[in-house]
Amino acid sequence: MISSYTWLPAGESSDSRWLRGLAIAFIAAMGFSIGGSLLLKLFPSSMALFGPYYPTLVKFPTWTYMAVLPFIPILLYGPSIGWKTTALAFIAGSGIGGASELIGTTTGFPFGAYAYTFWLGPKILDHVPYFIPPSWFAMSIVSFELAGRVTPRDFARIPIAAAFMVLWDVSLDPAMSRAFPFWSYPGGGFFYGMPLTNWAGWFIVSLLIMGVYSLLFRGRTLYHAWTPVFYLLNCAFPLIISLLYGLYGAVAAGLVATAIPLLLSRTVSRPAPAAVPS
């Protein structure tokens, strides 16, 4: 019988091929957004040409980026920790993150008062864009993996992983609330209009997610060589947008915040990947 995967290069699985394709789409979406922002920055008069299509030109790469985001960690870790465990992690990360966002946008707890604009598309109960809960899963599982490179002990790994999530938001928030209004804080705040309570909320919610992950992944080694690159890309994208919009303080703070997880996670040797659970 001829294998259904004979079209693949020797040694490359179908999962790897899908991962490579999604990574290309992910980077292309970022490149399109950055290129468009750079074009408008250098040639403001070009808005006269692209103005009628501006909403579509913003939404298409942004929605592509957000749609691809959770599938990359699914393919990073699914083959090694098992698809069932990966699915449970997706449900936990998205569920806890999404629930916290619904509570946050309706009550102001635990992030402080904020609201999403229309740019991220349809919303759950008219409050939280559907893209947001899966993004919690995507970056939380990546942060948990990186924290595992710093320490394998859960009592330390859980808060370190939660801190890595907050450090990602240092680069993310100014770009997505001040450079481009994907969400807003009506009360304002100290960090480019963001209140300090936002980071406190991020840390609390991330602690809950990491605690669940520590139970789900017990006895399994969460690891992929691309993880640091994926984390870096998700920080670099908003940093470049902030730079283009002149938010230089945010860029400086974001560079430091991005460097901390990447440098700390290089202090240990590569863990041995676990076998796929039966």
Side-chain angles (χ1 to χ4, degrees), residues 53-66:
Y53 313 103
Y54 183 70
T56 300
L57 292 173
V58 171
K59 290 178 180 179
F60 176 74
T62 302
W63 292 14
T64 300
Y65 171 92
M66 296 297 293

Side-chain angles (χ1 to χ4, degrees), residues 174 191-192 238-244 246-256:
F191 188 65
Y192 291 90
L239 284 175
I240 294 172
I241 296 297
S242 292
L243 180 63
L244 291 175
L247 306 180
Y248 303 121
V251 173
L255 285 172
V256 173

Side-chain angles (χ1 to χ4, degrees), residues 146-152 263-271:
L146 289 178
R149 302 185 187 204
V150 180
T151 176
L263 291 175
L264 286 178
S265 63
R266 288 178 60 86
T267 61
V268 297
S269 60
R270 179 188 189 277

Side-chain angles (χ1 to χ4, degrees), residues 210-230:
M210 304 310 172
V212 175
Y213 286 168
S214 70
L215 298 175
L216 281 177
F217 303 141
R218 185 159 295 170
R220 295 172 170 83
T221 299
L222 195 68
Y223 177 87
H224 198 284
W226 285 16
T227 299
V229 176
F230 184 63

Side-chain angles (χ1 to χ4, degrees), residues 11-278:
E12 185 175 26
S13 68
S14 59
D15 297 328
S16 297
R17 176 60 64 88
W18 273 105
L19 178 59
R20 191 180 304 275
L22 287 175
I24 291 171
F26 190 70
I27 294 171
M30 289 190 291
F32 189 95
S33 293
I34 292 169
S37 297
L38 181 60
L39 178 65
L40 292 177
K41 182 75 172 179
L42 296 176
F43 305 102
S45 60
S46 63
M47 180 60 82
L49 175 62
F50 296 109
Y53 313 103
Y54 183 70
T56 300
L57 292 173
V58 171
K59 290 178 180 179
F60 176 74
T62 302
W63 292 14
T64 300
Y65 171 92
M66 296 297 293
V68 171
L69 179 66
F71 287 101
I72 291 181
I74 286 173
L75 290 175
L76 287 178
Y77 306 123
S80 61
I81 65 173
W83 299 111
K84 180 180 177 180
T85 300
T86 305
L88 291 173
F90 176 84
I91 293 170
S94 301
I96 295 173
S100 71
E101 295 271 1
L102 281 173
I103 295 171
T105 51
T106 54
T107 69
F109 177 83
F111 307 103
Y114 72 107
Y116 286 97
T117 64
F118 68 92
W119 287 107
L120 290 177
K123 302 175 184 178
I124 303 169
L125 300 179
D126 204 34
H127 281 280
V128 179
Y130 286 94
F131 286 128
I132 294 300
S135 71
W136 275 93
F137 156 75
M139 290 304 291
S140 62
I141 193 171
V142 165
S143 296
F144 190 79
E145 200 256 80
L146 289 178
R149 302 185 187 204
V150 180
T151 176
R153 299 181 178 180
D154 283 344
F155 75 88
R157 182 179 188 174
I158 290 171
I160 290 173
F164 286 178
M165 282 288 286
V166 176
L167 290 171
W168 168 51
D169 191 56
V170 173
S171 63
L172 178 71
D173 214 281
M176 302 303 148
S177 63
R178 182 60 63 89
F180 201 92
F182 288 104
W183 55 80
S184 63
Y185 299 96
F190 85 107
F191 188 65
Y192 291 90
M194 183 209 76
L196 183 61
T197 52
N198 183 59
W199 284 342
W202 269 68
F203 187 74
I204 293 170
V205 174
S206 296
L207 280 177
L208 293 175
I209 295 174
M210 304 310 172
V212 175
Y213 286 168
S214 70
L215 298 175
L216 281 177
F217 303 141
R218 185 159 295 170
R220 295 172 170 83
T221 299
L222 195 68
Y223 177 87
H224 198 284
W226 285 16
T227 299
V229 176
F230 184 63
Y231 186 93
L232 175 61
L233 286 174
N234 278 283
C235 293
F237 181 32
L239 284 175
I240 294 172
I241 296 297
S242 292
L243 180 63
L244 291 175
Y245 282 83
L247 306 180
Y248 303 121
V251 173
L255 285 172
V256 173
T258 300
I260 292 172
L262 297 178
L263 291 175
L264 286 178
S265 63
R266 288 178 60 86
T267 61
V268 297
S269 60
R270 179 188 189 277
V276 178
S278 58

